[in-house]
Amino acid sequence: MTADIETFAKTAEANTPLRMQVLRNIRNRPTASGAAIAIAILVLLALLAPVITPQNPYDLASLSVMDNRLAPGETGMTGITYWLGTDAQGRDMLSAILYGLRTSLLVGLTATAGALAIGSVAGLLAAHFGGAVDALLMRIVDFMLGFPSILVALILLSSIGRGVDKVVVAIMLVQWAQYARLMRAAALVERRKEYIEAALNFGLPTRHILLFHLLPNSIGSVLVVASISVASAITLEATLSFLGVGVPVTQPSLGLLIANGFEFLLSGQYWIAVFPGIALVLLVMSLNLLGDRLRRSFNVRGP
Amino acid sequence: MSETFFELRDVSRYFRSKPSLTQRIVTALGRTGPPPALRAVDDVTLRIRAGEVVGLVGESGCGKSTLARVATGILPPSAGEVFYKGRPVTELTGKDRLNYLLKVQMVFQDPYASLNPRMKVGQLVGEALRVHKLVPKNEVGERTRGVLKEVGLDLGYMDRYPHQFSGGQRQRIGIARALAVEPDFLVCDEPVSALDVSIQAQVINLFMDVRERRGLTYLFVSHDLGVVRHISDRVAIMYLGRIVEIGTAAELFAKPAHPYSQALIRAIPSAVTRRRRAFTPLKGELPSALSPPPGCAFHPRCEHAMPICREVRPPLVQISPDRSAACHLHSTSESV
Ligand SMILES: Nc1ncnc2c1ncn2[C@@H]1O[C@H](COP(=O)(O)OP(=O)(O)OP(=O)(O)O)[C@@H](O)[C@H]1O
Ligand code: SF4
Ligand SMILES: [Mg+2]
């Protein structure tokens, strides 16, 4: 073959996959790697909650009301030492927090994934078809983004009632619009590139072009923003649950745990609200720190 | 064979910029008309015979890429008709349309933007074969390897991504992708202008080898008159969306008829020091295609401009057996 002598050296740098570059970028930052480790531990704890917790906090048979509102470190009638104390029903706070973490993460991740899917499809269609489709979709997006998301979610949930699935739907509904807008912007840039024209030149079906050309090349920035938005989805869920319109009492998230402990704060039993609060702050902060580093390494501007 | 292999007949392509909100309001209030359309290609007629290499030359922004896109079916014309093997392509549907799209392939100007960065070379070159099931599944790999070998790429590169290649190699990948669907007409849109000068000749030679082996027809767009003269049977000179002169390469270069062609060809000797893109043999700027000068669009820069040139647009007329030009110096009658 005829060897092109140009830029062979230059390609070596480009040969390192982006994924590796980003990983290296995270590993070299103490805050980002700390956040990543914290998230890994929290996720692991949430996953393993049924196995590692001393009691199932929502199995009423395993609770002893006599143990209610024990301070951290006390040992109750059942012989369990409650390292983080107990709540008004005698529930071990450590177990409750790990189960709460499960619910918070479950809601945050599914809502984000759902919003991402809806938003990406809407943005892609708007960018590709333009015209009336674009105008209609983007008017809806403008409308959605025009209201504070907490307000929309509150109104929605107070009319459909509480429930894990309902909170997920509510968060999806208030968050898909930002992804749609981002996806549209990215796809509009990609669509002008010549590889899309090449695909048209080959008479490839629209569905194929959208799925295999436009989507994979436009979704990068959207994914990065989604990684940051997991934190805001979790915060939103916590707020809704705190306000009493979120998850049901049988499956409390961190937000609901805080709400439950709130009334005892002034009577000195701080642990019932404060420990779930610390867990929530740790989770949200770590997600934010890691997401921010991802955003910087991919050079994506915020939503 | 009486039918023309490929023809653009009175083809125009306009671009209308999307009016801003204020413009829309002003228009709605009746203050002005809608914004003028940009005539990127303006009433072009071009016939290409099978097996021919037609060079297309013109300054940056004169509409060469737009013409290429209309010819390949990537962009529909705003007016006029494209004929492939005697049939108007707008009337083609289904299999016939796909056949036209595949038989008339484009090689793009930008070897970086024209390859999907997320697809491996093997996938990228075999994509159309797979999606349209042009060959049985188990033969896609074989065909892909065949064209990659034909354009001089190592078969070990099949599993690499485009960013791992140099510009010249990428352009070879682009050529392989076009060849994979066995086209008979290649529209090459400045396929070497983005490449290193040392690579350009290799890629041009590849184009010529491929043509000989496969008996292809080329519409070869270029800034580089030296290249065009070297490889073309006929040459068309484009100015501001129109073809101002067309003729056999030998004749046209020996004795250009249109003052614009003359200026271009006069500038060739200095082209020894030519750099990519530096292609301004003339004083004055290319006027905007949004508001082309009235009459002959070239008159503000023409040293032979006459009063009539400012008012009447010269049509492209035959001035000798194999030559046409659009210039009042060569119109035998004043009728338009
Ligand atoms: N999609 C588009 N929308 C609006 N205007 C366009 C579009 N494509 C091209 N144009 C305009 O049409 C004119 C001709 O562009 P074109 O790309 O065909 O020129 P060209 O001769 O290929 O130039 P170059 O040598 O720089 O590639 C230019 O003024 C350009 O700005
Ligand atoms: S028509 Fe007139 S202005 Fe145009 S090229 Fe000929 S002489 Fe010059
Ligand atoms: Mg061009």
Side-chain angles (χ1 to χ4, degrees), chain A residues 242-265:
Chain A
F242 183 84
L243 295 174
V245 292
V247 295
V249 283
T250 50
Q251 204 178 341
S253 63
L254 294 173
L256 188 52
L257 290 179
I258 298 173
N260 289 341
F262 200 61
E263 55 178 304
F264 305 108
L265 261 184

Side-chain angles (χ1 to χ4, degrees), chain B residues 34-97:
Chain B
L38 183 149
R39 295 163 172 258
V41 172
D42 192 7
D43 205 10
V44 164
T45 293
L46 177 63
R47 277 181 210 90
I48 296 175
R49 296 183 274 267
E52 201 176 25
V53 176
V54 176
L56 182 66
V57 182
E59 278 166 286
S60 184
C62 73
K64 305 182 297 295
S65 296
T66 307
L67 184 81
R69 289 185 165 91
V70 171
T72 47
I74 293 171
L75 277 180
S78 308
E81 185 62 82
V82 179
F83 293 82
Y84 173 65
K85 293 194 169 162
R87 295 179 65 187
V89 302
T90 45
E91 285 172 20
L92 301 178
T93 51
K95 265 203 155 64
D96 291 338
R97 174 156 177 86

Side-chain angles (χ1 to χ4, degrees), chain A residues 4 15 197 202 208 213 217, chain B residues 69 113 116 127 132 164 169:
Chain A
D4 293 349
N15 272 343
E197 297 189 324
F202 283 112
H208 182 90
H213 294 267
N217 286 292
Chain B
R69 289 185 165 91
N116 182 342
E127 185 182 23
H132 294 307
Q164 295 171 284
Q169 290 171 318

Side-chain angles (χ1 to χ4, degrees), chain B residues 125-135 140 143-144 180-181:
Chain B
V125 172
E127 185 182 23
L129 300 176
R130 256 182 294 117
V131 176
H132 294 307
K133 302 189 170 61
L134 299 177
V135 295
V140 172
R143 172 87 74 93
T144 307
V181 296

